[in-house]
Amino acid sequence: MTPVLAPFPEMLPLAETLAPLIGADLAPVDWHQFPDGESLVTLDADLAGRDVALLCTLRDPDRHALPLRFAAETARDLGAVSVGLIAPYLGYMRQDRRFAPGQAVSAPLFAAFLQESFDWLVTADPHLHRIPSLDRLFTIPARRVVTAPLLAEWIAAHVDDPVLLGPDSESQQWVAGVAARVGCPYEVLRKHRSGDRSVEISVPDNPALRTGTPVILDDIASSGRTLVRAIERLREAGTRAPVCVVIHAVFAGKAHADILAAGARQIVTTNSIPHASNAIDLSPLIAGAIAETAAGLTFQQLESPYSDQAKWSKGSKK
Ligand SMILES: O=P(O)(O)OC[C@H]1O[C@@H](O)[C@H](O)[C@@H]1O
């Protein structure tokens, strides 16, 4: 039977590109929010005997998580034989340890919450800086889409004389990898965060920055403070206006406007979270990852366009 792709409302544009790539019928989730804050989700499609993938990006996870679980359990209740989750942005991954006494370690708690309702998961570059891979968090098959090849393609095609900049030491390996693909120099900035919106950045002296175009690469722009501070320091150092390439366009509050006001020449993001800055389409990579992660189900088997994707975990839910 034809599998079903069921996107939450804001993910409909990505779903329309993705559905033909994975050979699925589209069945959008209707999400009604009552005045008292409760949700009613509706899956008005024949799901009996079918493999179902829900598509929901998990920015603002507190708001999305419960309706998402309701939708997954409803799909099963309506006869779906399997229910997978495509969450191009997976929230809560940054709280992966107890940074102060008594804090919740939210990343494994959120993973445990999700996998109670899903048979497999596909996400894009989760913020796993201290947890080595998704299989430390999930026992269901869970695959990470690696966006680096697409970021490199975009930079090579759109930026003259790029010099890639990672915002902090944690980004070293990742930025080095993208720079190697582009064939350009890179540098890693020094960052100190003392609060949600308190970030200080310093820029090492690098001769390439005197002539090239700085391209700040970051996985997430949330408050935007990291990018704002980096841009301010670069402009003080007399560089060209920087380009910002970000995977996940979280952009809390007026973060996007703040980054532009600080002097960014351009901000581009992937479509893991819908935003006007989306310029890099992840659907071919997501399709390849679904075909591999949901192997054995009816999602069309596709060749992933990139063969160097990170290893993925296998497990069994049932
Ligand atoms: O500075 P904001 O935008 O709030 O947060 C995003 C930054 O915080 C880090 O965890 C991310 O990797 C990124 O560098």
Side-chain angles (χ1 to χ4, degrees):
M1 289 179 94
T2 310
V4 175
L5 177 62
F8 269 61
E10 68 172 348
M11 299 309 282
L12 190 55
L14 177 59
E16 282 170 344
T17 318
L18 193 55
L21 297 179
I22 57 171
D25 288 341
L26 254 190
V29 177
D30 184 74
W31 180 11
H32 176 72
Q33 288 168 282
F34 292 105
D36 59 6
E38 293 183 1
S39 287
L40 176 63
V41 291
T42 305
L43 284 159
D44 186 13
D46 178 10
L47 303 183
R50 299 170 82 178
D51 295 312
V52 174
L54 286 167
L55 172 58
C56 179
T57 209
L58 287 164
R59 171 195 45 190
D60 200 355
D62 293 8
R63 199 168 73 89
H64 285 92
L66 201 53
L68 178 60
R69 286 278 308 263
F70 287 169
E73 294 303 330
T74 303
R76 252 182 246 287
D77 196 28
L78 295 173
V81 288
S82 74
V83 184
L85 171 60
I86 308 159
Y89 175 65
L90 189 55
Y92 275 124
M93 294 300 107
R94 293 198 282 174
Q95 185 69 25
D96 58 1
R97 56 178 269 240
R98 218 182 301 285
F99 296 99
Q103 287 183 343
V105 186
S106 311
L109 294 175
F110 193 50
F113 172 86
L114 291 175
Q115 70 179 358
E116 276 180 28
S117 286
F118 290 97
D119 298 302
W120 54 267
L121 166 88
V122 165
T123 187
D125 279 335
H127 186 96
L128 293 178
H129 284 180
R130 285 157 291 262
I131 296 173
S133 66
L134 281 172
D135 58 3
R136 293 289 177 90
L137 289 175
F138 291 93
T139 54
I140 56 172
R143 182 166 177 117
R144 163 193 179 187
V145 164
V146 177
T147 62
L150 294 184
L151 308 184
E153 267 174 30
W154 188 91
I155 294 164
H158 295 90
V159 185
D160 293 331
D161 306 320
V163 183
L164 303 199
L165 298 170
D168 50 38
S169 55
E170 288 174 341
S171 64
Q172 156 87 39
Q173 231 184 337
W174 176 59
V175 174
V178 179
R181 283 179 177 272
V182 179
C184 70
Y186 75 93
E187 182 60 84
V188 172
L189 309 180
R190 295 191 194 97
K191 170 167 149 185
H192 176 69
R193 184 189 286 278
S194 52
D196 293 347
R197 292 175 181 273
S198 300
V199 176
E200 277 314 319
I201 297 268
S202 60
V203 180
D205 184 34
N206 184 322
L209 284 170
R210 290 179 211 138
T211 51
T213 307
V215 180
I216 311 171
L217 274 189
D218 211 343
D219 63 338
I220 298 169
S222 176
S223 72
R225 288 296 103 187
T226 299
L227 291 175
V228 165
R229 289 285 174 257
I231 294 164
E232 286 172 352
R233 297 295 90 83
L234 287 163
R235 298 319 305 273
E236 282 165 14
T239 69
R240 291 184 193 171
V243 173
C244 300
V245 176
V246 176
I247 301 174
H248 302 298
V250 174
F251 294 137
K254 58 187 195 45
H256 184 257
D258 290 346
I259 298 163
L260 285 175
R265 188 181 99 190
Q266 189 179 5
I267 308 168
V268 298
T269 60
T270 77
N271 57 353
S272 73
I273 297 172
H275 189 266
S277 60
N278 291 170
I280 299 169
D281 176 25
L282 298 183
S283 53
L285 289 184
I286 292 175
I290 294 168
E292 291 168 10
T293 310
L297 307 180
T298 50
F299 294 96
Q300 193 174 312
Q301 299 295 296
L302 295 174
E303 273 294 307
S304 171
Y306 297 99
S307 54
D308 63 346
Q309 301 269 316
K311 281 266 172 252
W312 52 286
S313 64
K314 248 194 177 304
S316 166
K317 183 163 179 64
K318 291 174 188 148

